[in-house]
Amino acid sequence: MAISNYMAGLFGHSPIRPLQEHMQKVCLGVQHLIPLVEAMNAGDLEQVKAEQQAIVQAEHDADDMKHALRHHLPKGLFMPVDRRDLLDVLMMQDAVINQAKDIAGLVVGRKMQLPETMRDLFLAYTGQTVKAVEQALLVINELESLVETGFRGLEVEHVEGMIKELGRIEQITDRKQVDLRNILFDLEDSLRATDVMFTYRLIEWMGRVADDAQRVGTRLQLMLAR
């Protein structure tokens, strides 16, 4: 019995499922960015606030999950994935939802309204950003299968293809960001300086969500290369 307990502690419980659940919560929170932007475009401040609260709650829940995973992360010698790698992925996932919370806070705090000529493109930009996070979730959800196959074989090729698709999605997001910046540049003289400044910030922060999502995939890609 003593040997059995020792071996159980040595191998520990797999932390992969909690990591995936954390990313699921992150994704659920980020998905509220779309209705938040729709409400912003419609001038519906109450709905904007409701979506912000949903994002804030998701961030709080994800934060609790992050702390729990850190606290209970096994220290056994035979974890299926390196402890440092898991913590790195966890922090990158955390950055995604933190940035989404900052975006929602900016929109509410500034009672932001975009110029009409930017609204449709910004909504599409937001949708593409959310798509990047959803793709990152799909990648993380493959981690169990990668462990089962020893990070070898067809599963690795499948995940590498998913990571490549994540990069493609993020590139489209970058192009939309450039287009939005160009539109805003042309409008600068007709807008208040503070509105211009915070609109540039909003565009940048939305892009960071997609960038952080891609970093989740890139970190997993490094794990595959070992």
Side-chain angles (χ1 to χ4, degrees):
M1 180 65 72
I3 294 177
S4 175
N5 289 339
Y6 170 74
M7 292 302 294
L10 195 63
F11 281 89
H13 298 290
S14 173
I16 293 173
R17 173 54 58 185
L19 185 72
Q20 292 169 332
E21 290 172 351
H22 179 268
M23 188 59 190
Q24 177 71 38
K25 179 60 68 173
V26 168
C27 189
L28 287 172
V30 169
Q31 286 170 338
H32 282 278
L33 287 173
I34 293 176
L36 181 138
V37 171
E38 289 174 338
M40 177 179 68
N41 286 346
D44 187 346
L45 185 57
E46 290 306 310
Q47 189 60 40
V48 168
K49 289 179 179 178
E51 299 302 335
Q52 182 218 14
Q53 287 305 307
I55 294 170
V56 168
Q57 185 60 56
E59 191 276 336
H60 288 167
D61 292 343
D63 214 37
D64 289 342
M65 296 167 76
K66 176 188 69 178
H67 292 309
L69 178 54
R70 278 174 168 176
H71 182 71
H72 296 290
L73 194 61
K75 296 181 174 65
L77 297 178
F78 297 104
M79 279 178 58
V81 180
D82 186 85
R83 178 187 175 91
R84 183 178 59 185
D85 288 336
L86 284 172
L87 289 174
D88 284 349
V89 172
L90 179 64
M91 293 310 298
M92 291 171 187
Q93 293 179 178
D94 188 55
V96 172
I97 190 60
N98 285 342
Q99 190 64 68
K101 185 183 74 170
D102 289 345
I103 290 168
L106 177 63
V107 172
V108 169
R110 294 291 306 175
K111 297 182 174 61
M112 291 195 69
Q113 279 282 291
L114 296 176
E116 190 170 351
T117 54
M118 294 180 63
R119 292 175 187 174
D120 288 346
L121 181 56
F122 192 83
L123 181 59
Y125 177 53
T126 303
Q128 195 68 25
T129 294
V130 171
K131 189 175 180 180
V133 178
E134 291 171 342
Q135 183 69 14
L137 172 62
L138 292 177
V139 171
I140 289 299
N141 282 344
E142 293 295 317
L143 192 51
E144 281 179 315
S145 296
L146 286 168
V147 170
E148 290 172 1
T149 59
F151 288 85
R152 290 189 295 271
L154 294 177
E155 179 63 19
V156 171
E157 295 179 16
H158 173 60
V159 174
E160 286 177 341
M162 296 174 70
I163 294 172
K164 184 177 180 180
E165 173 63 12
L166 175 56
R168 188 190 70 83
I169 293 168
E170 197 275 336
Q171 287 175 356
I172 295 172
T173 307
D174 283 346
R175 290 197 291 270
K176 291 186 184 301
Q177 184 182 84
V178 171
D179 291 342
L180 284 164
R181 286 178 174 274
N182 288 339
I183 294 172
L184 183 57
F185 178 80
D186 290 338
L187 294 173
E188 282 185 7
D189 291 342
S190 64
L191 300 172
R192 293 189 307 174
T194 53
D195 289 341
V196 171
M197 179 181 69
F198 284 108
T199 301
Y200 274 122
R201 183 174 298 178
L202 180 62
I203 294 170
E204 178 188 353
W205 285 4
M206 188 67 75
R208 284 185 190 174
V209 175
D211 290 343
D212 289 337
Q214 187 184 28
R215 288 189 184 99
V216 172
T218 300
R219 192 68 186 82
L220 187 54
Q221 193 169 37
L222 290 174
M223 292 164 61
L224 295 177
R226 291 180 180 176

